[in-house]
PDB file of all heavy atoms in Angstrom:
ATOM      1  N   TRP A 278      -3.184  -0.852   3.250  1.00  0.00           N
ATOM      2  CA  TRP A 278      -2.844  -2.253   2.964  1.00  0.00           C
ATOM      3  C   TRP A 278      -1.246  -2.573   3.223  1.00  0.00           C
ATOM      4  O   TRP A 278      -0.518  -1.728   2.764  1.00  0.00           O
ATOM      5  CB  TRP A 278      -3.230  -2.667   1.467  1.00  0.00           C
ATOM      6  CG  TRP A 278      -4.655  -2.526   1.246  1.00  0.00           C
ATOM      7  CD1 TRP A 278      -5.303  -1.475   0.806  1.00  0.00           C
ATOM      8  CD2 TRP A 278      -5.594  -3.637   1.369  1.00  0.00           C
ATOM      9  NE1 TRP A 278      -6.657  -1.668   0.704  1.00  0.00           N
ATOM     10  CE2 TRP A 278      -6.748  -3.119   1.037  1.00  0.00           C
ATOM     11  CE3 TRP A 278      -5.541  -4.815   1.822  1.00  0.00           C
ATOM     12  CZ2 TRP A 278      -7.861  -3.728   1.039  1.00  0.00           C
ATOM     13  CZ3 TRP A 278      -6.706  -5.623   1.796  1.00  0.00           C
ATOM     14  CH2 TRP A 278      -7.896  -5.090   1.465  1.00  0.00           C
ATOM     15  N   TYR A 279      -0.909  -3.635   3.790  1.00  0.00           N
ATOM     16  CA  TYR A 279       0.303  -4.127   3.890  1.00  0.00           C
ATOM     17  C   TYR A 279       0.298  -5.585   3.305  1.00  0.00           C
ATOM     18  O   TYR A 279      -0.667  -6.173   3.105  1.00  0.00           O
ATOM     19  CB  TYR A 279       0.788  -4.310   5.418  1.00  0.00           C
ATOM     20  CG  TYR A 279       1.114  -2.980   6.025  1.00  0.00           C
ATOM     21  CD1 TYR A 279       0.279  -1.967   6.243  1.00  0.00           C
ATOM     22  CD2 TYR A 279       2.484  -2.721   6.335  1.00  0.00           C
ATOM     23  CE1 TYR A 279       0.538  -0.732   6.829  1.00  0.00           C
ATOM     24  CE2 TYR A 279       2.852  -1.483   6.957  1.00  0.00           C
ATOM     25  CZ  TYR A 279       1.819  -0.574   7.142  1.00  0.00           C
ATOM     26  OH  TYR A 279       2.194   0.592   7.783  1.00  0.00           O
ATOM     27  N   ARG A 280       1.542  -6.037   2.951  1.00  0.00           N
ATOM     28  CA  ARG A 280       1.625  -7.423   2.462  1.00  0.00           C
ATOM     29  C   ARG A 280       2.876  -8.139   2.991  1.00  0.00           C
ATOM     30  O   ARG A 280       3.791  -7.429   3.357  1.00  0.00           O
ATOM     31  CB  ARG A 280       1.667  -7.441   0.867  1.00  0.00           C
ATOM     32  CG  ARG A 280       2.928  -6.778   0.406  1.00  0.00           C
ATOM     33  CD  ARG A 280       2.782  -6.692  -1.215  1.00  0.00           C
ATOM     34  NE  ARG A 280       3.903  -6.176  -1.799  1.00  0.00           N
ATOM     35  CZ  ARG A 280       3.998  -5.960  -3.041  1.00  0.00           C
ATOM     36  NH1 ARG A 280       3.010  -6.030  -3.888  1.00  0.00           N
ATOM     37  NH2 ARG A 280       5.212  -5.409  -3.615  1.00  0.00           N
ATOM     38  N   GLN A 281       2.676  -9.472   3.064  1.00  0.00           N
ATOM     39  CA  GLN A 281       3.794 -10.264   3.476  1.00  0.00           C
ATOM     40  C   GLN A 281       4.053 -11.353   2.515  1.00  0.00           C
ATOM     41  O   GLN A 281       3.115 -12.254   2.460  1.00  0.00           O
ATOM     42  CB  GLN A 281       3.617 -10.650   4.982  1.00  0.00           C
ATOM     43  CG  GLN A 281       4.805 -11.362   5.570  1.00  0.00           C
ATOM     44  CD  GLN A 281       4.723 -11.520   7.039  1.00  0.00           C
ATOM     45  OE1 GLN A 281       3.662 -11.557   7.585  1.00  0.00           O
ATOM     46  NE2 GLN A 281       5.812 -11.690   7.637  1.00  0.00           N
ATOM     47  N   ALA A 282       5.043 -11.534   1.870  1.00  0.00           N
ATOM     48  CA  ALA A 282       5.532 -12.577   0.975  1.00  0.00           C
ATOM     49  C   ALA A 282       6.183 -13.619   1.764  1.00  0.00           C
ATOM     50  O   ALA A 282       6.812 -13.357   2.719  1.00  0.00           O
ATOM     51  CB  ALA A 282       6.346 -12.076  -0.206  1.00  0.00           C
ATOM     52  N   PRO A 283       6.240 -14.887   1.201  1.00  0.00           N
ATOM     53  CA  PRO A 283       6.852 -15.920   1.910  1.00  0.00           C
ATOM     54  C   PRO A 283       8.355 -15.582   2.175  1.00  0.00           C
ATOM     55  O   PRO A 283       9.099 -15.237   1.164  1.00  0.00           O
ATOM     56  CB  PRO A 283       6.744 -17.051   1.044  1.00  0.00           C
ATOM     57  CG  PRO A 283       5.554 -16.841   0.240  1.00  0.00           C
ATOM     58  CD  PRO A 283       5.561 -15.399  -0.030  1.00  0.00           C
ATOM     59  N   GLY A 284       8.874 -15.705   3.312  1.00  0.00           N
ATOM     60  CA  GLY A 284      10.190 -15.385   3.716  1.00  0.00           C
ATOM     61  C   GLY A 284      10.686 -14.019   3.834  1.00  0.00           C
ATOM     62  O   GLY A 284      11.805 -13.656   3.981  1.00  0.00           O
ATOM     63  N   LYS A 285       9.637 -13.087   3.743  1.00  0.00           N
ATOM     64  CA  LYS A 285       9.943 -11.782   3.784  1.00  0.00           C
ATOM     65  C   LYS A 285       9.176 -11.021   4.931  1.00  0.00           C
ATOM     66  O   LYS A 285       8.207 -11.636   5.394  1.00  0.00           O
ATOM     67  CB  LYS A 285       9.606 -11.027   2.463  1.00  0.00           C
ATOM     68  CG  LYS A 285      10.413 -11.555   1.316  1.00  0.00           C
ATOM     69  CD  LYS A 285      10.165 -10.763  -0.076  1.00  0.00           C
ATOM     70  CE  LYS A 285      11.112 -11.175  -1.033  1.00  0.00           C
ATOM     71  NZ  LYS A 285      10.822 -10.383  -2.318  1.00  0.00           N
ATOM     72  N   GLN A 286       9.667  -9.741   5.371  1.00  0.00           N
ATOM     73  CA  GLN A 286       8.942  -9.025   6.256  1.00  0.00           C
ATOM     74  C   GLN A 286       7.636  -8.413   5.785  1.00  0.00           C
ATOM     75  O   GLN A 286       7.629  -8.137   4.535  1.00  0.00           O
ATOM     76  CB  GLN A 286       9.866  -7.883   6.833  1.00  0.00           C
ATOM     77  CG  GLN A 286      11.056  -8.416   7.634  1.00  0.00           C
ATOM     78  CD  GLN A 286      11.833  -7.356   8.253  1.00  0.00           C
ATOM     79  OE1 GLN A 286      11.830  -6.217   7.735  1.00  0.00           O
ATOM     80  NE2 GLN A 286      12.443  -7.661   9.362  1.00  0.00           N
ATOM     81  N   ARG A 287       6.763  -8.141   6.556  1.00  0.00           N
ATOM     82  CA  ARG A 287       5.531  -7.405   6.226  1.00  0.00           C
ATOM     83  C   ARG A 287       5.982  -5.887   5.732  1.00  0.00           C
ATOM     84  O   ARG A 287       6.730  -5.348   6.382  1.00  0.00           O
ATOM     85  CB  ARG A 287       4.517  -7.346   7.262  1.00  0.00           C
ATOM     86  CG  ARG A 287       3.148  -6.821   6.955  1.00  0.00           C
ATOM     87  CD  ARG A 287       2.167  -6.915   8.053  1.00  0.00           C
ATOM     88  NE  ARG A 287       1.894  -8.291   8.411  1.00  0.00           N
ATOM     89  CZ  ARG A 287       0.946  -8.695   9.280  1.00  0.00           C
ATOM     90  NH1 ARG A 287       0.172  -7.806   9.780  1.00  0.00           N
ATOM     91  NH2 ARG A 287       0.799  -9.974   9.485  1.00  0.00           N
ATOM     92  N   GLU A 288       5.424  -5.551   4.608  1.00  0.00           N
ATOM     93  CA  GLU A 288       5.777  -4.272   4.120  1.00  0.00           C
ATOM     94  C   GLU A 288       4.447  -3.369   3.722  1.00  0.00           C
ATOM     95  O   GLU A 288       3.439  -3.963   3.402  1.00  0.00           O
ATOM     96  CB  GLU A 288       6.682  -4.386   2.905  1.00  0.00           C
ATOM     97  CG  GLU A 288       5.925  -5.043   1.775  1.00  0.00           C
ATOM     98  CD  GLU A 288       6.831  -5.093   0.518  1.00  0.00           C
ATOM     99  OE1 GLU A 288       7.957  -4.346   0.479  1.00  0.00           O
ATOM    100  OE2 GLU A 288       6.472  -5.653  -0.538  1.00  0.00           O
ATOM    101  N   LEU A 289       4.628  -2.132   3.873  1.00  0.00           N
ATOM    102  CA  LEU A 289       3.543  -1.193   3.494  1.00  0.00           C
ATOM    103  C   LEU A 289       3.370  -1.323   1.973  1.00  0.00           C
ATOM    104  O   LEU A 289       4.313  -1.296   1.122  1.00  0.00           O
ATOM    105  CB  LEU A 289       3.869   0.257   3.886  1.00  0.00           C
ATOM    106  CG  LEU A 289       2.875   1.279   3.624  1.00  0.00           C
ATOM    107  CD1 LEU A 289       2.820   2.193   4.695  1.00  0.00           C
ATOM    108  CD2 LEU A 289       3.070   1.910   2.242  1.00  0.00           C
ATOM    109  N   VAL A 290       2.112  -1.376   1.579  1.00  0.00           N
ATOM    110  CA  VAL A 290       1.740  -1.258   0.182  1.00  0.00           C
ATOM    111  C   VAL A 290       1.164   0.161  -0.207  1.00  0.00           C
ATOM    112  O   VAL A 290       1.651   0.857  -1.174  1.00  0.00           O
ATOM    113  CB  VAL A 290       0.767  -2.264  -0.255  1.00  0.00           C
ATOM    114  CG1 VAL A 290       0.289  -2.206  -1.592  1.00  0.00           C
ATOM    115  CG2 VAL A 290       1.223  -3.721  -0.024  1.00  0.00           C
ATOM    116  N   ALA A 291       0.121   0.580   0.606  1.00  0.00           N
ATOM    117  CA  ALA A 291      -0.471   1.875   0.332  1.00  0.00           C
ATOM    118  C   ALA A 291      -1.335   2.287   1.569  1.00  0.00           C
ATOM    119  O   ALA A 291      -1.774   1.329   2.214  1.00  0.00           O
ATOM    120  CB  ALA A 291      -1.312   1.813  -0.886  1.00  0.00           C
ATOM    121  N   THR A 292      -1.440   3.420   1.872  1.00  0.00           N
ATOM    122  CA  THR A 292      -2.271   4.037   2.968  1.00  0.00           C
ATOM    123  C   THR A 292      -3.074   5.217   2.357  1.00  0.00           C
ATOM    124  O   THR A 292      -2.674   5.848   1.391  1.00  0.00           O
ATOM    125  CB  THR A 292      -1.504   4.307   4.183  1.00  0.00           C
ATOM    126  OG1 THR A 292      -0.616   5.484   3.779  1.00  0.00           O
ATOM    127  CG2 THR A 292      -0.779   3.260   4.699  1.00  0.00           C
ATOM    128  N   ILE A 293      -4.175   5.460   3.103  1.00  0.00           N
ATOM    129  CA  ILE A 293      -4.979   6.620   2.759  1.00  0.00           C
ATOM    130  C   ILE A 293      -5.651   7.100   3.998  1.00  0.00           C
ATOM    131  O   ILE A 293      -6.049   6.447   4.880  1.00  0.00           O
ATOM    132  CB  ILE A 293      -6.073   6.294   1.704  1.00  0.00           C
ATOM    133  CG1 ILE A 293      -6.934   7.476   1.226  1.00  0.00           C
ATOM    134  CG2 ILE A 293      -6.977   5.146   2.274  1.00  0.00           C
ATOM    135  CD1 ILE A 293      -7.740   7.210  -0.004  1.00  0.00           C
ATOM    136  N   THR A 294      -5.558   8.423   4.192  1.00  0.00           N
ATOM    137  CA  THR A 294      -6.120   9.146   5.340  1.00  0.00           C
ATOM    138  C   THR A 294      -7.610   9.345   5.043  1.00  0.00           C
ATOM    139  O   THR A 294      -8.236   9.304   4.067  1.00  0.00           O
ATOM    140  CB  THR A 294      -5.419  10.382   5.685  1.00  0.00           C
ATOM    141  OG1 THR A 294      -5.700  11.342   4.706  1.00  0.00           O
ATOM    142  CG2 THR A 294      -3.894  10.203   5.806  1.00  0.00           C
ATOM    143  N   ASN A 295      -8.352   9.837   6.129  1.00  0.00           N
ATOM    144  CA  ASN A 295      -9.714  10.127   5.903  1.00  0.00           C
ATOM    145  C   ASN A 295      -9.965  11.468   5.027  1.00  0.00           C
ATOM    146  O   ASN A 295     -11.063  11.650   4.691  1.00  0.00           O
ATOM    147  CB  ASN A 295     -10.369  10.176   7.278  1.00  0.00           C
ATOM    148  CG  ASN A 295      -9.867  11.156   8.261  1.00  0.00           C
ATOM    149  OD1 ASN A 295      -9.008  12.001   7.908  1.00  0.00           O
ATOM    150  ND2 ASN A 295     -10.262  11.167   9.482  1.00  0.00           N
ATOM    151  N   GLY A 296      -8.855  12.130   4.916  1.00  0.00           N
ATOM    152  CA  GLY A 296      -8.867  13.317   4.096  1.00  0.00           C
ATOM    153  C   GLY A 296      -8.503  12.912   2.654  1.00  0.00           C
ATOM    154  O   GLY A 296      -8.588  13.907   1.780  1.00  0.00           O
ATOM    155  N   GLY A 297      -7.992  11.852   2.335  1.00  0.00           N
ATOM    156  CA  GLY A 297      -7.758  11.381   0.996  1.00  0.00           C
ATOM    157  C   GLY A 297      -6.297  11.340   0.640  1.00  0.00           C
ATOM    158  O   GLY A 297      -5.966  11.140  -0.562  1.00  0.00           O
ATOM    159  N   SER A 298      -5.429  11.750   1.487  1.00  0.00           N
ATOM    160  CA  SER A 298      -3.984  11.720   1.179  1.00  0.00           C
ATOM    161  C   SER A 298      -3.490  10.244   1.132  1.00  0.00           C
ATOM    162  O   SER A 298      -3.838   9.386   2.070  1.00  0.00           O
ATOM    163  CB  SER A 298      -3.232  12.460   2.246  1.00  0.00           C
ATOM    164  OG  SER A 298      -3.574  13.813   2.339  1.00  0.00           O
ATOM    165  N   THR A 299      -2.628   9.937   0.092  1.00  0.00           N
ATOM    166  CA  THR A 299      -2.205   8.608  -0.137  1.00  0.00           C
ATOM    167  C   THR A 299      -0.685   8.534  -0.124  1.00  0.00           C
ATOM    168  O   THR A 299       0.006   9.493  -0.316  1.00  0.00           O
ATOM    169  CB  THR A 299      -2.678   8.099  -1.461  1.00  0.00           C
ATOM    170  OG1 THR A 299      -2.257   8.979  -2.472  1.00  0.00           O
ATOM    171  CG2 THR A 299      -4.215   8.056  -1.477  1.00  0.00           C
ATOM    172  N   VAL A 300      -0.287   7.253   0.287  1.00  0.00           N
ATOM    173  CA  VAL A 300       1.068   6.948   0.226  1.00  0.00           C
ATOM    174  C   VAL A 300       1.249   5.609  -0.304  1.00  0.00           C
ATOM    175  O   VAL A 300       0.541   4.665   0.055  1.00  0.00           O
ATOM    176  CB  VAL A 300       1.771   6.955   1.640  1.00  0.00           C
ATOM    177  CG1 VAL A 300       3.251   6.360   1.687  1.00  0.00           C
ATOM    178  CG2 VAL A 300       1.689   8.349   2.302  1.00  0.00           C
ATOM    179  N   TYR A 301       2.226   5.432  -1.296  1.00  0.00           N
ATOM    180  CA  TYR A 301       2.412   4.068  -1.921  1.00  0.00           C
ATOM    181  C   TYR A 301       3.826   3.593  -1.827  1.00  0.00           C
ATOM    182  O   TYR A 301       4.772   4.454  -1.893  1.00  0.00           O
ATOM    183  CB  TYR A 301       2.052   4.197  -3.432  1.00  0.00           C
ATOM    184  CG  TYR A 301       0.655   4.550  -3.837  1.00  0.00           C
ATOM    185  CD1 TYR A 301       0.209   5.832  -3.977  1.00  0.00           C
ATOM    186  CD2 TYR A 301      -0.231   3.373  -4.010  1.00  0.00           C
ATOM    187  CE1 TYR A 301      -1.182   6.022  -4.278  1.00  0.00           C
ATOM    188  CE2 TYR A 301      -1.511   3.651  -4.257  1.00  0.00           C
ATOM    189  CZ  TYR A 301      -1.946   4.894  -4.446  1.00  0.00           C
ATOM    190  OH  TYR A 301      -3.240   5.162  -4.858  1.00  0.00           O
ATOM    191  N   ALA A 302       3.951   2.327  -1.731  1.00  0.00           N
ATOM    192  CA  ALA A 302       5.473   1.758  -1.894  1.00  0.00           C
ATOM    193  C   ALA A 302       5.878   2.053  -3.247  1.00  0.00           C
ATOM    194  O   ALA A 302       5.141   1.980  -4.144  1.00  0.00           O
ATOM    195  CB  ALA A 302       5.313   0.249  -1.600  1.00  0.00           C
ATOM    196  N   HIS A 303       7.151   2.279  -3.349  1.00  0.00           N
ATOM    197  CA  HIS A 303       7.769   2.441  -4.763  1.00  0.00           C
ATOM    198  C   HIS A 303       7.550   1.344  -5.616  1.00  0.00           C
ATOM    199  O   HIS A 303       7.291   1.613  -6.864  1.00  0.00           O
ATOM    200  CB  HIS A 303       9.238   2.821  -4.502  1.00  0.00           C
ATOM    201  CG  HIS A 303       9.958   3.037  -5.833  1.00  0.00           C
ATOM    202  ND1 HIS A 303      10.525   2.059  -6.620  1.00  0.00           N
ATOM    203  CD2 HIS A 303      10.183   4.145  -6.469  1.00  0.00           C
ATOM    204  CE1 HIS A 303      11.118   2.539  -7.631  1.00  0.00           C
ATOM    205  NE2 HIS A 303      10.799   3.888  -7.635  1.00  0.00           N
ATOM    206  N   SER A 304       7.449   0.164  -5.095  1.00  0.00           N
ATOM    207  CA  SER A 304       7.338  -0.956  -5.912  1.00  0.00           C
ATOM    208  C   SER A 304       5.926  -1.168  -6.655  1.00  0.00           C
ATOM    209  O   SER A 304       5.711  -1.879  -7.539  1.00  0.00           O
ATOM    210  CB  SER A 304       7.569  -2.298  -5.187  1.00  0.00           C
ATOM    211  OG  SER A 304       6.773  -2.381  -4.182  1.00  0.00           O
ATOM    212  N   VAL A 305       4.999  -0.487  -6.154  1.00  0.00           N
ATOM    213  CA  VAL A 305       3.592  -0.539  -6.616  1.00  0.00           C
ATOM    214  C   VAL A 305       3.108   0.764  -7.230  1.00  0.00           C
ATOM    215  O   VAL A 305       2.009   0.819  -7.921  1.00  0.00           O
ATOM    216  CB  VAL A 305       2.600  -1.070  -5.569  1.00  0.00           C
ATOM    217  CG1 VAL A 305       3.104  -2.329  -4.904  1.00  0.00           C
ATOM    218  CG2 VAL A 305       2.284  -0.021  -4.466  1.00  0.00           C
ATOM    219  N   LYS A 306       3.843   1.853  -6.958  1.00  0.00           N
ATOM    220  CA  LYS A 306       3.337   3.168  -7.449  1.00  0.00           C
ATOM    221  C   LYS A 306       3.107   3.115  -9.091  1.00  0.00           C
ATOM    222  O   LYS A 306       4.029   2.694  -9.768  1.00  0.00           O
ATOM    223  CB  LYS A 306       4.324   4.232  -7.138  1.00  0.00           C
ATOM    224  CG  LYS A 306       3.770   5.623  -7.306  1.00  0.00           C
ATOM    225  CD  LYS A 306       4.731   6.583  -6.576  1.00  0.00           C
ATOM    226  CE  LYS A 306       4.216   8.027  -6.721  1.00  0.00           C
ATOM    227  NZ  LYS A 306       5.024   8.969  -6.124  1.00  0.00           N
ATOM    228  N   GLY A 307       1.976   3.571  -9.447  1.00  0.00           N
ATOM    229  CA  GLY A 307       1.659   3.632 -10.930  1.00  0.00           C
ATOM    230  C   GLY A 307       1.019   2.368 -11.316  1.00  0.00           C
ATOM    231  O   GLY A 307       0.460   2.398 -12.422  1.00  0.00           O
ATOM    232  N   ARG A 308       0.829   1.316 -10.508  1.00  0.00           N
ATOM    233  CA  ARG A 308       0.133   0.214 -10.865  1.00  0.00           C
ATOM    234  C   ARG A 308      -0.960  -0.065  -9.882  1.00  0.00           C
ATOM    235  O   ARG A 308      -2.073  -0.587 -10.348  1.00  0.00           O
ATOM    236  CB  ARG A 308       1.136  -1.102 -10.778  1.00  0.00           C
ATOM    237  CG  ARG A 308       2.246  -1.012 -11.657  1.00  0.00           C
ATOM    238  CD  ARG A 308       3.094  -2.419 -11.717  1.00  0.00           C
ATOM    239  NE  ARG A 308       3.657  -2.656 -10.374  1.00  0.00           N
ATOM    240  CZ  ARG A 308       3.383  -3.705  -9.669  1.00  0.00           C
ATOM    241  NH1 ARG A 308       2.561  -4.732 -10.201  1.00  0.00           N
ATOM    242  NH2 ARG A 308       3.932  -3.884  -8.529  1.00  0.00           N
ATOM    243  N   PHE A 309      -0.909   0.399  -8.709  1.00  0.00           N
ATOM    244  CA  PHE A 309      -1.951   0.065  -7.621  1.00  0.00           C
ATOM    245  C   PHE A 309      -2.516   1.407  -7.332  1.00  0.00           C
ATOM    246  O   PHE A 309      -2.008   2.505  -7.366  1.00  0.00           O
ATOM    247  CB  PHE A 309      -1.451  -0.526  -6.403  1.00  0.00           C
ATOM    248  CG  PHE A 309      -0.938  -1.919  -6.385  1.00  0.00           C
ATOM    249  CD1 PHE A 309      -0.797  -2.605  -7.677  1.00  0.00           C
ATOM    250  CD2 PHE A 309      -0.539  -2.564  -5.312  1.00  0.00           C
ATOM    251  CE1 PHE A 309      -0.320  -3.817  -7.726  1.00  0.00           C
ATOM    252  CE2 PHE A 309      -0.067  -3.876  -5.371  1.00  0.00           C
ATOM    253  CZ  PHE A 309      -0.022  -4.488  -6.640  1.00  0.00           C
ATOM    254  N   THR A 310      -3.866   1.390  -6.964  1.00  0.00           N
ATOM    255  CA  THR A 310      -4.527   2.620  -6.641  1.00  0.00           C
ATOM    256  C   THR A 310      -5.388   2.252  -5.357  1.00  0.00           C
ATOM    257  O   THR A 310      -6.210   1.434  -5.274  1.00  0.00           O
ATOM    258  CB  THR A 310      -5.552   3.066  -7.653  1.00  0.00           C
ATOM    259  OG1 THR A 310      -4.760   3.413  -8.846  1.00  0.00           O
ATOM    260  CG2 THR A 310      -6.185   4.436  -7.163  1.00  0.00           C
ATOM    261  N   ILE A 311      -5.211   3.033  -4.255  1.00  0.00           N
ATOM    262  CA  ILE A 311      -6.029   2.952  -3.119  1.00  0.00           C
ATOM    263  C   ILE A 311      -7.048   3.944  -3.064  1.00  0.00           C
ATOM    264  O   ILE A 311      -6.814   5.133  -3.543  1.00  0.00           O
ATOM    265  CB  ILE A 311      -4.989   2.990  -1.831  1.00  0.00           C
ATOM    266  CG1 ILE A 311      -5.863   2.635  -0.471  1.00  0.00           C
ATOM    267  CG2 ILE A 311      -4.450   4.310  -1.609  1.00  0.00           C
ATOM    268  CD1 ILE A 311      -5.003   2.484   0.718  1.00  0.00           C
ATOM    269  N   SER A 312      -8.293   3.549  -2.547  1.00  0.00           N
ATOM    270  CA  SER A 312      -9.331   4.561  -2.501  1.00  0.00           C
ATOM    271  C   SER A 312     -10.262   4.143  -1.338  1.00  0.00           C
ATOM    272  O   SER A 312     -10.059   3.056  -0.614  1.00  0.00           O
ATOM    273  CB  SER A 312     -10.188   4.504  -3.725  1.00  0.00           C
ATOM    274  OG  SER A 312     -10.774   3.158  -3.923  1.00  0.00           O
ATOM    275  N   ARG A 313     -11.123   5.051  -0.935  1.00  0.00           N
ATOM    276  CA  ARG A 313     -11.887   4.894   0.329  1.00  0.00           C
ATOM    277  C   ARG A 313     -13.292   5.382   0.093  1.00  0.00           C
ATOM    278  O   ARG A 313     -13.611   6.407  -0.434  1.00  0.00           O
ATOM    279  CB  ARG A 313     -11.141   5.692   1.388  1.00  0.00           C
ATOM    280  CG  ARG A 313     -11.680   5.509   2.776  1.00  0.00           C
ATOM    281  CD  ARG A 313     -10.778   6.243   3.725  1.00  0.00           C
ATOM    282  NE  ARG A 313     -11.039   6.051   5.114  1.00  0.00           N
ATOM    283  CZ  ARG A 313     -10.384   6.405   6.241  1.00  0.00           C
ATOM    284  NH1 ARG A 313      -9.220   6.869   6.047  1.00  0.00           N
ATOM    285  NH2 ARG A 313     -10.935   6.181   7.420  1.00  0.00           N
ATOM    286  N   ASP A 314     -14.253   4.667   0.487  1.00  0.00           N
ATOM    287  CA  ASP A 314     -15.669   4.934   0.602  1.00  0.00           C
ATOM    288  C   ASP A 314     -16.034   5.116   1.973  1.00  0.00           C
ATOM    289  O   ASP A 314     -16.320   4.225   2.758  1.00  0.00           O
ATOM    290  CB  ASP A 314     -16.453   4.029  -0.133  1.00  0.00           C
ATOM    291  CG  ASP A 314     -17.886   4.328  -0.350  1.00  0.00           C
ATOM    292  OD1 ASP A 314     -18.374   5.229   0.444  1.00  0.00           O
ATOM    293  OD2 ASP A 314     -18.605   3.795  -1.207  1.00  0.00           O
TER     294      ASP A 314
END
């Protein structure tokens, strides 16, 4: 997931590989959880 707020550039929120490895933006870490089915 990426996001774009008004007047700002698109930024990474979180990603997940098919193996389950995840990456989070610092601003959302601890609040958001990415998962995959």
Side-chain angles (χ1 to χ4, degrees):
W278 296 90
Y279 285 68
R280 68 186 182 186
Q281 188 165 22
K285 296 185 178 181
Q286 294 184 333
R287 188 174 297 187
E288 66 174 350
L289 182 146
V290 178
T292 61
I293 185 168
T294 68
N295 54 12
S298 297
T299 58
V300 173
Y301 293 93
H303 181 267
S304 60
V305 307
K306 193 171 184 179
R308 299 188 297 120
F309 292 8
T310 302
I311 190 169
S312 61
R313 188 170 181 172
D314 186 336

